[in-house]
Coordinates of all heavy atoms in Angstrom, one line a residue:
T786 N 43.4 -24.2 -28.3 CA 42.0 -24.6 -28.3 C 41.5 -24.9 -27.0 O 40.3 -24.6 -26.6 CB 41.8 -25.8 -29.3 OG1 42.4 -25.5 -30.5 CG2 40.4 -26.2 -29.4
L787 N 42.3 -25.6 -26.2 CA 41.9 -26.0 -24.8 C 41.7 -24.7 -24.0 O 40.8 -24.5 -23.2 CB 43.0 -26.9 -24.2 CG 42.7 -27.3 -22.7 CD1 41.4 -28.1 -22.7 CD2 43.8 -28.2 -22.2
A788 N 42.6 -23.7 -24.1 CA 42.6 -22.5 -23.4 C 41.3 -21.7 -23.8 O 40.6 -21.1 -23.0 CB 43.8 -21.6 -23.7
L789 N 41.0 -21.7 -25.1 CA 39.7 -21.0 -25.5 C 38.5 -21.7 -25.0 O 37.5 -21.1 -24.6 CB 39.7 -21.0 -27.1 CG 40.6 -20.0 -27.8 CD1 40.5 -20.2 -29.3 CD2 40.2 -18.6 -27.4
S790 N 38.5 -23.1 -24.9 CA 37.4 -23.8 -24.3 C 37.2 -23.5 -22.9 O 36.1 -23.3 -22.4 CB 37.6 -25.3 -24.5 OG 37.6 -25.6 -25.9
V791 N 38.3 -23.4 -22.2 CA 38.3 -23.1 -20.7 C 37.7 -21.7 -20.5 O 36.9 -21.4 -19.7 CB 39.7 -23.3 -20.1 CG1 39.7 -22.7 -18.7 CG2 40.1 -24.7 -20.0
N792 N 38.2 -20.7 -21.4 CA 37.7 -19.4 -21.3 C 36.2 -19.3 -21.6 O 35.4 -18.6 -20.9 CB 38.5 -18.4 -22.2 CG 39.9 -18.1 -21.7 OD1 40.1 -18.2 -20.5 ND2 40.7 -17.7 -22.6
A793 N 35.8 -20.1 -22.6 CA 34.3 -20.1 -23.0 C 33.5 -20.7 -21.8 O 32.4 -20.2 -21.5 CB 34.1 -20.9 -24.2
L794 N 34.0 -21.7 -21.2 CA 33.4 -22.3 -20.0 C 33.3 -21.3 -18.9 O 32.2 -21.1 -18.2 CB 34.1 -23.6 -19.6 CG 33.5 -24.3 -18.4 CD1 32.0 -24.7 -18.7 CD2 34.3 -25.5 -18.0
A795 N 34.4 -20.5 -18.6 CA 34.4 -19.5 -17.6 C 33.4 -18.4 -17.9 O 32.7 -18.0 -17.0 CB 35.8 -18.9 -17.4
L796 N 33.3 -18.0 -19.1 CA 32.3 -17.0 -19.5 C 30.9 -17.5 -19.3 O 30.0 -16.8 -18.9 CB 32.5 -16.6 -21.0 CG 33.7 -15.6 -21.2 CD1 33.9 -15.4 -22.7 CD2 33.5 -14.3 -20.5
S797 N 30.7 -18.8 -19.6 CA 29.3 -19.4 -19.4 C 29.0 -19.4 -17.9 O 27.8 -19.1 -17.6 CB 29.3 -20.8 -20.0 OG 29.5 -20.8 -21.4
V798 N 29.9 -19.7 -17.1 CA 29.7 -19.8 -15.7 C 29.4 -18.3 -15.2 O 28.5 -18.1 -14.4 CB 30.9 -20.4 -14.9 CG1 30.8 -20.2 -13.4 CG2 31.0 -21.9 -15.2
D799 N 30.2 -17.4 -15.6 CA 29.9 -16.0 -15.3 C 28.5 -15.5 -15.7 O 27.8 -14.8 -15.0 CB 31.0 -15.0 -15.9 CG 32.3 -15.2 -15.2 OD1 32.4 -15.8 -14.1 OD2 33.3 -14.7 -15.8
T800 N 28.1 -15.9 -16.9 CA 26.8 -15.6 -17.4 C 25.7 -16.2 -16.6 O 24.7 -15.5 -16.2 CB 26.7 -16.0 -18.9 OG1 27.7 -15.4 -19.7 CG2 25.3 -15.6 -19.5
L801 N 25.9 -17.4 -16.2 CA 25.0 -18.1 -15.3 C 24.9 -17.4 -14.0 O 23.8 -17.2 -13.4 CB 25.4 -19.6 -15.1 CG 24.5 -20.4 -14.2 CD1 23.1 -20.4 -14.8 CD2 25.0 -21.8 -14.0
A802 N 26.0 -17.0 -13.4 CA 26.0 -16.3 -12.1 C 25.3 -14.9 -12.3 O 24.5 -14.6 -11.4 CB 27.5 -16.0 -11.7
L803 N 25.5 -14.2 -13.4 CA 24.8 -13.0 -13.6 C 23.3 -13.2 -13.7 O 22.5 -12.4 -13.2 CB 25.3 -12.3 -14.8 CG 26.7 -11.6 -14.7 CD1 27.2 -11.1 -16.0 CD2 26.7 -10.5 -13.7
S804 N 22.9 -14.3 -14.4 CA 21.5 -14.6 -14.5 C 20.9 -14.9 -13.2 O 19.7 -14.5 -12.9 CB 21.3 -15.8 -15.5 OG 21.7 -15.5 -16.8
V805 N 21.6 -15.6 -12.3 CA 21.1 -15.9 -11.0 C 21.0 -14.6 -10.2 O 20.0 -14.4 -9.5 CB 22.0 -16.9 -10.3 CG1 21.7 -17.0 -8.8 CG2 21.9 -18.3 -10.9
D806 N 21.9 -13.7 -10.3 CA 21.9 -12.4 -9.6 C 20.7 -11.6 -10.1 O 19.9 -11.0 -9.3 CB 23.1 -11.6 -9.8 CG 24.3 -12.2 -9.0 OD1 24.1 -13.0 -8.1 OD2 25.5 -11.8 -9.3
A807 N 20.4 -11.6 -11.4 CA 19.3 -10.9 -12.0 C 18.0 -11.5 -11.5 O 17.0 -10.8 -11.2 CB 19.3 -11.0 -13.5
L808 N 17.9 -12.8 -11.4 CA 16.7 -13.5 -10.8 C 16.5 -13.1 -9.4 O 15.4 -12.8 -9.0 CB 16.8 -15.0 -11.0 CG 15.7 -15.8 -10.4 CD1 14.4 -15.5 -11.2 CD2 16.0 -17.3 -10.5
A809 N 17.6 -13.0 -8.6 CA 17.5 -12.6 -7.2 C 17.0 -11.2 -7.1 O 16.1 -10.9 -6.2 CB 18.8 -12.8 -6.5
L810 N 17.5 -10.3 -7.9 CA 17.0 -8.9 -7.9 C 15.5 -8.8 -8.3 O 14.8 -8.1 -7.7 CB 17.8 -8.1 -8.9 CG 19.3 -7.7 -8.4 CD1 20.0 -7.0 -9.5 CD2 19.2 -6.8 -7.2
S811 N 15.1 -9.7 -9.3 CA 13.7 -9.7 -9.7 C 12.8 -10.1 -8.5 O 11.8 -9.6 -8.3 CB 13.5 -10.6 -10.9 OG 14.2 -10.1 -12.0
V812 N 13.3 -11.1 -7.8 CA 12.5 -11.6 -6.6 C 12.4 -10.6 -5.6 O 11.4 -10.3 -5.0 CB 13.1 -13.0 -6.1 CG1 12.5 -13.3 -4.8 CG2 12.9 -14.1 -7.1
N813 N 13.6 -9.9 -5.3 CA 13.6 -8.8 -4.3 C 12.7 -7.7 -4.7 O 11.9 -7.1 -3.9 CB 15.0 -8.3 -4.1 CG 15.8 -9.3 -3.3 OD1 15.3 -10.2 -2.6 ND2 17.2 -9.1 -3.4
T814 N 12.7 -7.3 -6.0 CA 11.8 -6.3 -6.5 C 10.4 -6.7 -6.3 O 9.5 -5.9 -5.9 CB 12.1 -6.0 -8.0 OG1 13.5 -5.6 -8.1 CG2 11.2 -4.9 -8.5
M815 N 10.0 -7.9 -6.6 CA 8.7 -8.4 -6.5 C 8.2 -8.3 -5.0 O 7.1 -7.9 -4.7 CB 8.5 -9.8 -7.0 CG 7.1 -10.3 -7.0 SD 6.0 -9.4 -8.1 CE 6.6 -9.9 -9.7
A816 N 9.1 -8.7 -4.1 CA 8.8 -8.6 -2.7 C 8.6 -7.2 -2.3 O 7.7 -6.9 -1.5 CB 10.0 -9.2 -1.9
L817 N 9.4 -6.2 -2.8 CA 9.2 -4.8 -2.5 C 7.8 -4.3 -3.0 O 7.1 -3.6 -2.3 CB 10.3 -4.0 -3.0 CG 11.7 -4.1 -2.3 CD1 12.7 -3.4 -3.1 CD2 11.6 -3.6 -0.9
L818 N 7.5 -4.8 -4.2 CA 6.2 -4.4 -4.8 C 5.0 -4.9 -3.9 O 4.0 -4.2 -3.7 CB 6.1 -4.9 -6.2 CG 7.0 -4.1 -7.2 CD1 6.9 -4.8 -8.6 CD2 6.5 -2.7 -7.4
V819 N 5.2 -6.2 -3.5 CA 4.1 -6.7 -2.6 C 4.0 -6.0 -1.3 O 2.9 -5.7 -0.8 CB 4.4 -8.2 -2.4 CG1 3.5 -8.8 -1.3 CG2 4.2 -9.0 -3.7
D820 N 5.2 -5.6 -0.7 CA 5.2 -4.8 0.5 C 4.5 -3.4 0.2 O 3.7 -2.9 1.1 CB 6.6 -4.6 1.0 CG 7.2 -5.8 1.6 OD1 6.4 -6.8 1.9 OD2 8.4 -5.9 1.8
A821 N 4.8 -2.8 -0.9 CA 4.2 -1.5 -1.2 C 2.7 -1.7 -1.4 O 1.9 -0.8 -1.0 CB 4.9 -0.9 -2.5
L822 N 2.3 -2.7 -2.0 CA 0.8 -3.0 -2.2 C 0.2 -3.1 -0.8 O -0.9 -2.6 -0.6 CB 0.6 -4.2 -3.1 CG -0.8 -4.6 -3.3 CD1 -1.6 -3.5 -4.0 CD2 -0.9 -5.9 -4.1
A823 N 0.8 -3.9 0.1 CA 0.3 -4.1 1.4 C 0.2 -2.7 2.1 O -0.8 -2.5 2.8 CB 1.1 -5.0 2.2
L824 N 1.2 -1.9 2.0 CA 1.1 -0.6 2.6 C 0.0 0.3 2.0 O -0.7 1.0 2.8 CB 2.5 0.2 2.5 CG 3.6 -0.4 3.3 CD1 4.9 0.3 2.9 CD2 3.3 -0.2 4.8
S825 N -0.2 0.2 0.7 CA -1.3 0.9 0.1 C -2.6 0.4 0.6 O -3.5 1.3 0.8 CB -1.2 0.8 -1.4 OG 0.0 1.4 -1.9
V826 N -2.8 -0.8 0.7 CA -4.0 -1.4 1.2 C -4.3 -0.9 2.7 O -5.4 -0.5 3.0 CB -4.1 -2.9 1.1 CG1 -5.2 -3.5 1.9 CG2 -4.1 -3.4 -0.3
N827 N -3.2 -0.9 3.5 CA -3.4 -0.4 4.9 C -3.7 1.1 4.9 O -4.5 1.5 5.7 CB -2.1 -0.7 5.6 CG -1.8 -2.1 6.0 OD1 -2.8 -2.9 6.0 ND2 -0.6 -2.5 6.3
A828 N -3.1 1.8 4.0 CA -3.4 3.3 3.9 C -4.9 3.5 3.5 O -5.6 4.3 4.0 CB -2.5 4.0 3.0
L829 N -5.3 2.7 2.6 CA -6.7 2.7 2.2 C -7.7 2.4 3.3 O -8.7 3.1 3.5 CB -7.0 1.8 1.0 CG -8.4 1.8 0.4 CD1 -8.8 3.1 -0.1 CD2 -8.5 0.7 -0.7
A830 N -7.3 1.3 4.1 CA -8.1 1.0 5.2 C -8.2 2.1 6.2 O -9.3 2.4 6.8 CB -7.6 -0.3 5.8
L831 N -7.0 2.7 6.5 CA -7.0 3.9 7.4 C -7.9 5.0 6.9 O -8.6 5.7 7.7 CB -5.6 4.4 7.6 CG -4.7 3.4 8.5 CD1 -3.3 4.0 8.5 CD2 -5.3 3.3 9.9
S832 N -7.9 5.3 5.6 CA -8.7 6.3 5.0 C -10.2 6.0 5.2 O -11.0 6.9 5.5 CB -8.4 6.5 3.5 OG -7.0 6.9 3.4
V833 N -10.5 4.7 5.0 CA -11.9 4.3 5.2 C -12.3 4.5 6.6 O -13.4 5.0 6.9 CB -12.1 2.9 4.7 CG1 -13.5 2.3 5.1 CG2 -12.0 2.8 3.2
D834 N -11.4 4.1 7.5 CA -11.7 4.3 9.0 C -11.9 5.8 9.3 O -12.8 6.2 10.0 CB -10.6 3.7 9.8 CG -10.6 2.2 9.8 OD1 -11.6 1.6 9.4 OD2 -9.6 1.6 10.3
A835 N -11.0 6.7 8.7 CA -11.2 8.1 9.0 C -12.5 8.6 8.4 O -13.1 9.5 9.0 CB -10.0 8.8 8.3
L836 N -12.9 8.2 7.2 CA -14.1 8.6 6.7 C -15.3 8.1 7.5 O -16.3 8.9 7.7 CB -14.3 8.0 5.2 CG -15.5 8.4 4.5 CD1 -15.6 9.9 4.3 CD2 -15.6 7.7 3.1
A837 N -15.2 6.9 8.1 CA -16.3 6.4 9.0 C -16.4 7.3 10.2 O -17.5 7.6 10.7 CB -16.0 5.0 9.3
L838 N -15.2 7.7 10.7 CA -15.2 8.6 11.9 C -15.9 9.9 11.6 O -16.6 10.5 12.4 CB -13.8 8.8 12.4 CG -13.2 7.6 13.2 CD1 -11.8 7.9 13.5 CD2 -14.0 7.3 14.5
L839 N -15.6 10.5 10.4 CA -16.2 11.7 10.0 C -17.7 11.6 9.8 O -18.5 12.5 10.2 CB -15.6 12.2 8.6 CG -14.2 12.7 8.7 CD1 -13.6 13.0 7.3 CD2 -14.1 14.0 9.5
V840 N -18.1 10.5 9.3 CA -19.6 10.3 9.1 C -20.2 10.1 10.5 O -21.3 10.7 10.8 CB -19.9 9.0 8.3 CG1 -21.3 8.6 8.3 CG2 -19.4 9.3 6.8
D841 N -19.6 9.4 11.4 CA -20.1 9.3 12.8 C -20.2 10.7 13.5 O -21.2 11.0 14.2 CB -19.2 8.4 13.6 CG -19.4 6.9 13.2 OD1 -20.4 6.6 12.5 OD2 -18.6 6.1 13.7
T842 N -19.1 11.5 13.3 CA -19.1 12.8 13.9 C -20.3 13.7 13.3 O -21.0 14.4 14.0 CB -17.8 13.5 13.6 OG1 -16.8 12.7 14.2 CG2 -17.7 14.9 14.2
L843 N -20.5 13.6 12.0 CA -21.6 14.3 11.4 C -22.9 13.9 11.9 O -23.8 14.7 12.2 CB -21.5 14.1 9.8 CG -22.6 14.8 9.0 CD1 -22.6 16.3 9.2 CD2 -22.5 14.5 7.6
A844 N -23.0 12.6 12.1 CA -24.3 12.0 12.6 C -24.5 12.5 14.0 O -25.7 12.9 14.4 CB -24.3 10.5 12.6
L845 N -23.5 12.6 14.8 CA -23.6 13.1 16.2 C -24.0 14.6 16.2 O -24.8 15.1 17.0 CB -22.3 12.9 17.0 CG -22.0 11.5 17.4 CD1 -20.6 11.4 18.0 CD2 -23.1 11.0 18.4
Q846 N -23.4 15.4 15.2 CA -23.8 16.8 15.1 C -25.2 17.0 14.7 O -25.9 17.9 15.2 CB -22.8 17.5 14.1 CG -21.4 17.6 14.6 CD -21.3 18.4 15.8 OE1 -22.0 19.4 16.0 NE2 -20.3 18.1 16.7
V847 N -25.7 16.1 13.8 CA -27.1 16.2 13.4 C -28.0 15.9 14.6 O -29.0 16.6 14.8 CB -27.4 15.3 12.2 CG1 -28.8 15.1 11.9 CG2 -26.6 15.8 10.9
K848 N -27.7 14.8 15.3 CA -28.5 14.5 16.5 C -28.5 15.6 17.5 O -29.5 15.9 18.1 CB -27.9 13.2 17.2 CG -28.3 11.9 16.4 CD -27.7 10.7 17.2 CE -28.0 9.5 16.4 NZ -27.4 8.3 17.1
R849 N -27.3 16.2 17.7 CA -27.3 17.3 18.7 C -28.2 18.4 18.2 O -28.9 19.1 19.0 CB -25.8 17.8 18.8 CG -25.6 19.0 19.7 CD -24.2 19.4 19.7 NE -24.0 20.6 20.4 CZ -23.9 21.8 19.8 NH1 -23.9 21.9 18.5 NH2 -23.8 22.9 20.5
F850 N -28.1 18.7 16.9 CA -29.0 19.8 16.4 C -30.4 19.5 16.5 O -31.2 20.3 17.0 CB -28.6 20.0 14.9 CG -29.5 21.0 14.2 CD1 -29.3 22.3 14.4 CD2 -30.6 20.6 13.4 CE1 -30.1 23.3 13.7 CE2 -31.4 21.5 12.8 CZ -31.1 22.9 12.9
V851 N -30.8 18.2 16.2 CA -32.2 17.8 16.3 C -32.7 17.8 17.7 O -33.8 18.3 18.0 CB -32.4 16.4 15.6 CG1 -33.8 15.9 15.9 CG2 -32.2 16.6 14.1
Y852 N -31.9 17.3 18.7 CA -32.4 17.2 20.0 C -32.2 18.4 20.9 O -32.8 18.5 21.9 CB -31.7 16.0 20.7 CG -32.1 14.7 20.2 CD1 -31.2 13.8 19.6 CD2 -33.4 14.3 20.2 CE1 -31.6 12.6 19.1 CE2 -33.9 13.1 19.7 CZ -32.9 12.2 19.1 OH -33.4 11.0 18.6
T853 N -31.3 19.3 20.5 CA -31.2 20.5 21.4 C -31.6 21.8 20.7 O -32.4 22.5 21.2 CB -29.7 20.7 21.8 OG1 -28.9 20.8 20.6 CG2 -29.2 19.5 22.6
I854 N -31.2 22.1 19.5 CA -31.5 23.3 18.9 C -32.9 23.4 18.4 O -33.7 24.4 18.5 CB -30.5 23.6 17.8 CG1 -29.1 23.8 18.4 CG2 -30.9 24.9 16.9 CD1 -28.0 23.9 17.4
V855 N -33.4 22.3 17.8 CA -34.8 22.3 17.2 C -35.8 22.5 18.4 O -36.7 23.3 18.2 CB -35.1 21.0 16.4 CG1 -36.5 20.9 16.1 CG2 -34.2 21.0 15.2
P856 N -35.7 21.8 19.5 CA -36.7 22.0 20.6 C -36.6 23.5 21.1 O -37.7 24.0 21.4 CB -36.3 21.0 21.7 CG -35.7 19.9 20.9 CD -34.9 20.6 19.8
I857 N -35.4 24.0 21.2 CA -35.3 25.4 21.7 C -36.0 26.3 20.7 O -36.7 27.3 21.1 CB -33.8 25.8 21.9 CG1 -33.2 25.0 23.0 CG2 -33.7 27.3 22.1 CD1 -31.7 25.1 23.1
Q858 N -35.8 26.1 19.4 CA -36.5 26.9 18.4 C -38.0 26.8 18.5 O -38.7 27.8 18.4 CB -36.0 26.5 17.0 CG -36.3 27.5 16.0 CD -35.6 28.8 16.2 OE1 -34.5 28.9 16.8 NE2 -36.2 29.9 15.7

Side-chain angles (χ1 to χ4, degrees):
T786 305
L787 181 60
L789 285 174
S790 296
V791 169
N792 285 340
L794 179 61
L796 284 173
S797 296
V798 169
D799 288 345
T800 302
L801 179 62
L803 287 173
S804 296
V805 169
D806 288 346
L808 179 62
L810 285 173
S811 295
V812 169
N813 288 340
T814 302
M815 186 63 70
L817 288 173
L818 289 172
V819 168
D820 288 345
L822 178 62
L824 287 173
S825 296
V826 168
N827 287 340
L829 178 61
L831 288 173
S832 296
V833 169
D834 288 346
L836 181 60
L838 286 173
L839 287 173
V840 169
D841 288 347
T842 302
L843 179 61
L845 288 173
Q846 292 297 324
V847 168
K848 284 182 183 178
R849 178 178 171 264
F850 177 78
V851 169
Y852 289 121
T853 59
I854 296 173
V855 170
I857 292 171
Q858 195 65 28

